[in-house]
Amino acid sequence: MANLNLPAVFGALSDPTRFAVVERLSRGAASVSELQQPFAMATPTFLKHLKVLESAGVIQTIKRGRVRTCALRPEALSFAERWIEQRRREISAQLDRLETFL
């Protein structure tokens, strides 16, 4: 996880196309052509979306012959989940202190 950058992970997930790709990959690995199918965009444009996800560490791609397969890297989502949970605990503690004060 040392190569994960939280702003890059959130930035990668912030785009609707990339978010949809991650949603699809949560059900299992898929080829680039399978992933691209629901989107009305040129292959080079779609590949840029995959590159953003891969650079952020959200997905990994493996090329076997002429087929490139993408898979989700769950550790990236776990990294983001832990960060969100930590913020939630901190806010909850602040609200508890405020309630005690009031």
Side-chain angles (χ1 to χ4, degrees):
M1 258 193 312
N3 64 343
L4 291 176
N5 175 307
L6 197 56
V9 170
F10 283 128
L13 295 173
S14 70
D15 179 85
T17 299
R18 295 189 294 263
F19 187 83
V21 167
V22 170
E23 284 284 314
R24 167 53 189 87
L25 290 175
S26 70
R27 296 189 308 269
S31 70
V32 170
S33 59
E34 288 176 84
L35 292 172
Q36 183 183 357
Q37 192 172 16
F39 304 102
M41 66 178 66
T43 299
T45 303
F46 186 74
L47 290 174
K48 287 180 185 178
H49 284 290
L50 294 182
K51 183 65 176 166
V52 170
L53 288 167
E54 191 170 24
S55 294
V58 176
I59 67 168
Q60 63 183 3
T61 61
I62 300 163
K63 188 170 183 179
R64 290 189 184 109
R66 293 171 33 121
V67 177
R68 183 171 296 278
T69 302
C70 301
L72 196 57
R73 290 186 62 214
E75 62 270 20
L77 299 180
S78 295
F79 183 55
E81 179 183 24
R82 283 192 305 276
W83 183 86
I84 290 169
E85 179 58 26
Q86 185 178 356
R87 300 293 84 71
R88 189 200 62 72
R89 284 193 308 266
E90 290 171 1
I91 290 169
S92 181
Q94 288 175 355
L95 291 174
D96 289 346
R97 288 191 301 272
L98 178 61
E99 183 179 11
T100 300
F101 176 75
L102 295 176

mmCIF file of all heavy atoms in Angstrom, residues 11 14 25 31 43 53-54 60 62 77 86 96:
data_model
loop_
_atom_site.group_PDB
_atom_site.id
_atom_site.type_symbol
_atom_site.label_atom_id
_atom_site.label_comp_id
_atom_site.label_asym_id
_atom_site.label_seq_id
_atom_site.Cartn_x
_atom_site.Cartn_y
_atom_site.Cartn_z
ATOM 1 N N GLY A 11 -9.616 10.900 -6.563
ATOM 2 C CA GLY A 11 -9.701 11.541 -7.875
ATOM 3 C C GLY A 11 -10.086 10.552 -8.957
ATOM 4 O O GLY A 11 -10.915 10.846 -9.823
ATOM 5 N N SER A 14 -13.732 9.777 -8.728
ATOM 6 C CA SER A 14 -14.636 10.921 -8.844
ATOM 7 C C SER A 14 -15.305 11.041 -10.222
ATOM 8 O O SER A 14 -16.304 11.727 -10.359
ATOM 9 C CB SER A 14 -13.902 12.229 -8.525
ATOM 10 O OG SER A 14 -12.969 12.525 -9.553
ATOM 11 N N LEU A 25 -16.005 -3.991 -11.908
ATOM 12 C CA LEU A 25 -14.904 -4.859 -11.489
ATOM 13 C C LEU A 25 -15.111 -5.432 -10.093
ATOM 14 O O LEU A 25 -14.474 -6.425 -9.739
ATOM 15 C CB LEU A 25 -13.574 -4.108 -11.580
ATOM 16 C CG LEU A 25 -13.094 -3.815 -13.003
ATOM 17 C CD1 LEU A 25 -11.839 -2.964 -12.969
ATOM 18 C CD2 LEU A 25 -12.873 -5.107 -13.778
ATOM 19 N N SER A 31 -12.204 -8.070 -19.323
ATOM 20 C CA SER A 31 -11.327 -7.560 -20.382
ATOM 21 C C SER A 31 -11.669 -6.099 -20.645
ATOM 22 O O SER A 31 -12.758 -5.628 -20.312
ATOM 23 C CB SER A 31 -11.506 -8.377 -21.664
ATOM 24 O OG SER A 31 -12.779 -8.119 -22.231
ATOM 25 N N THR A 43 -11.996 4.004 -28.051
ATOM 26 C CA THR A 43 -11.092 3.179 -27.256
ATOM 27 C C THR A 43 -9.961 3.990 -26.621
ATOM 28 O O THR A 43 -9.692 3.816 -25.430
ATOM 29 C CB THR A 43 -10.541 2.017 -28.096
ATOM 30 O OG1 THR A 43 -11.642 1.211 -28.526
ATOM 31 C CG2 THR A 43 -9.566 1.164 -27.314
ATOM 32 N N LEU A 53 -7.168 4.951 -13.351
ATOM 33 C CA LEU A 53 -7.462 3.984 -12.288
ATOM 34 C C LEU A 53 -6.228 3.162 -11.933
ATOM 35 O O LEU A 53 -5.952 2.908 -10.756
ATOM 36 C CB LEU A 53 -8.602 3.059 -12.722
ATOM 37 C CG LEU A 53 -9.990 3.679 -12.773
ATOM 38 C CD1 LEU A 53 -10.961 2.766 -13.514
ATOM 39 C CD2 LEU A 53 -10.491 3.993 -11.373
ATOM 40 N N GLU A 54 -5.477 2.766 -12.942
ATOM 41 C CA GLU A 54 -4.276 1.966 -12.695
ATOM 42 C C GLU A 54 -3.197 2.793 -12.008
ATOM 43 O O GLU A 54 -2.552 2.325 -11.061
ATOM 44 C CB GLU A 54 -3.756 1.375 -14.008
ATOM 45 C CG GLU A 54 -2.689 0.334 -13.800
ATOM 46 C CD GLU A 54 -2.347 -0.413 -15.070
ATOM 47 O OE1 GLU A 54 -2.559 0.120 -16.176
ATOM 48 O OE2 GLU A 54 -1.859 -1.550 -14.949
ATOM 49 N N GLN A 60 -5.566 -3.195 -11.502
ATOM 50 C CA GLN A 60 -4.348 -3.687 -12.144
ATOM 51 C C GLN A 60 -4.746 -4.309 -13.464
ATOM 52 O O GLN A 60 -5.874 -4.792 -13.612
ATOM 53 C CB GLN A 60 -3.626 -4.693 -11.269
ATOM 54 C CG GLN A 60 -4.399 -5.946 -10.975
ATOM 55 C CD GLN A 60 -3.645 -6.866 -10.031
ATOM 56 O OE1 GLN A 60 -2.569 -6.541 -9.559
ATOM 57 N NE2 GLN A 60 -4.206 -8.016 -9.751
ATOM 58 N N ILE A 62 -3.525 -6.939 -16.669
ATOM 59 C CA ILE A 62 -2.632 -8.023 -17.065
ATOM 60 C C ILE A 62 -2.903 -8.310 -18.531
ATOM 61 O O ILE A 62 -4.063 -8.465 -18.934
ATOM 62 C CB ILE A 62 -2.895 -9.287 -16.219
ATOM 63 C CG1 ILE A 62 -2.677 -8.989 -14.740
ATOM 64 C CG2 ILE A 62 -2.031 -10.447 -16.683
ATOM 65 C CD1 ILE A 62 -3.282 -10.024 -13.816
ATOM 66 N N LEU A 77 -9.298 0.360 -2.120
ATOM 67 C CA LEU A 77 -10.591 0.727 -1.550
ATOM 68 C C LEU A 77 -10.564 0.581 -0.028
ATOM 69 O O LEU A 77 -11.164 1.388 0.685
ATOM 70 C CB LEU A 77 -11.698 -0.119 -2.167
ATOM 71 C CG LEU A 77 -11.853 0.039 -3.684
ATOM 72 C CD1 LEU A 77 -12.979 -0.833 -4.192
ATOM 73 C CD2 LEU A 77 -12.066 1.486 -4.067
ATOM 74 N N GLN A 86 -11.768 6.631 9.958
ATOM 75 C CA GLN A 86 -11.028 7.429 10.942
ATOM 76 C C GLN A 86 -11.634 8.833 11.053
ATOM 77 O O GLN A 86 -11.801 9.350 12.150
ATOM 78 C CB GLN A 86 -9.553 7.514 10.560
ATOM 79 C CG GLN A 86 -8.712 8.222 11.595
ATOM 80 C CD GLN A 86 -7.237 8.247 11.213
ATOM 81 O OE1 GLN A 86 -6.835 7.671 10.209
ATOM 82 N NE2 GLN A 86 -6.433 8.914 12.010
ATOM 83 N N ASP A 96 -19.559 14.239 20.428
ATOM 84 C CA ASP A 96 -19.767 13.777 21.803
ATOM 85 C C ASP A 96 -19.258 14.801 22.805
ATOM 86 O O ASP A 96 -19.927 15.094 23.812
ATOM 87 C CB ASP A 96 -19.074 12.433 22.053
ATOM 88 C CG ASP A 96 -19.743 11.283 21.336
ATOM 89 O OD1 ASP A 96 -20.907 11.451 20.858
ATOM 90 O OD2 ASP A 96 -19.107 10.203 21.236
#
